[in-house]
Amino acid sequence: YLAEEVEGERIGCAVSPGDSKGLAADICSLAAHPEAAGEMGLRAEKLYLSKYAYEKAMEKYLSIFESRL
């Protein structure tokens, strides 16, 4: 699931466990394209704030608890 979200949202690079060549290639690509890496970081921050920030997580947990009462 995480790899799909990372790649689907274009917020990072997902590499299979043990794929050192793939990891190295992704690192080299990011180093060669710093503007694209920066844009990726901005998209990641936006996604985090919209879905995973503390406040959002608490809203989801409270909704679950309240629905059980």
Side-chain angles (χ1 to χ4, degrees):
Y1 167 78
L2 183 59
E4 292 171 4
E5 185 164 32
V6 166
E7 291 183 345
E9 297 289 337
R10 300 178 330 156
I11 60 171
C13 304
V15 182
S16 298
D19 184 6
S20 58
K21 289 183 181 180
L23 178 60
D26 285 346
I27 291 171
C28 289
S29 178
L30 291 171
H33 302 97
E35 288 182 16
E39 291 170 5
M40 192 180 292
L42 292 174
R43 284 191 300 273
E45 180 182 30
K46 184 177 177 181
L47 179 68
Y48 166 77
L49 292 173
S50 70
K51 291 178 76 173
Y52 302 109
Y54 177 79
E55 293 82 10
K56 292 293 182 181
M58 288 301 103
E59 288 174 12
K60 290 178 185 177
Y61 289 133
L62 284 174
S63 174
I64 292 169
F65 290 134
E66 289 172 350
S67 71
R68 303 289 183 213
L69 296 177

